[in-house]
Amino acid sequence: MKTWQLQEAKGKFSEVVKSAQSKGPQNITVHGEPVAVLISRRDYLKLINPKPSFVELMRSSPLVGCDLGITREQTATRNIKL
């Protein structure tokens, strides 16, 4: 993460924004102390709309309740070539 002093970030704002889009979050400091992080909209949307858990994904599937007609072989073992 690149670090920018506030004065430099203000003067090169378009460069800071472009860097956030292409290189990731940009750290902004005041008097050497980190005070802000600029992130791209894509990264921001990932933060506010996290992916659902696997269980939530399965429960929201349009196939919930459908009989898929899956059968399983009932033999104790299978023959395989090693």
Side-chain angles (χ1 to χ4, degrees), residues 41-68:
R41 180 167 176 81
R42 180 186 67 235
D43 291 343
Y44 172 72
L45 291 175
K46 284 181 187 176
L47 288 173
I48 64 169
N49 296 319
K51 291 182 181 178
S53 70
F54 182 72
V55 172
E56 292 169 335
L57 181 66
M58 292 283 107
R59 288 181 178 161
S60 66
S61 170
L63 298 175
V64 169
C66 291
D67 182 20
L68 299 177

Side-chain angles (χ1 to χ4, degrees), residues 4-48:
W4 302 79
Q5 294 177 352
L6 179 60
Q7 290 295 77
E8 182 184 14
K10 286 169 41 177
K12 298 180 178 180
F13 187 68
S14 62
E15 183 180 338
V16 176
V17 170
K18 288 176 184 176
S19 292
Q21 287 177 318
S22 62
K23 298 177 184 171
Q26 302 295 302
N27 190 35
I28 299 173
T29 63
V30 174
H31 302 297
E33 295 293 320
V35 294
V37 176
L38 181 70
I39 61 173
S40 68
R41 180 167 176 81
R42 180 186 67 235
D43 291 343
Y44 172 72
L45 291 175
K46 284 181 187 176
L47 288 173
I48 64 169

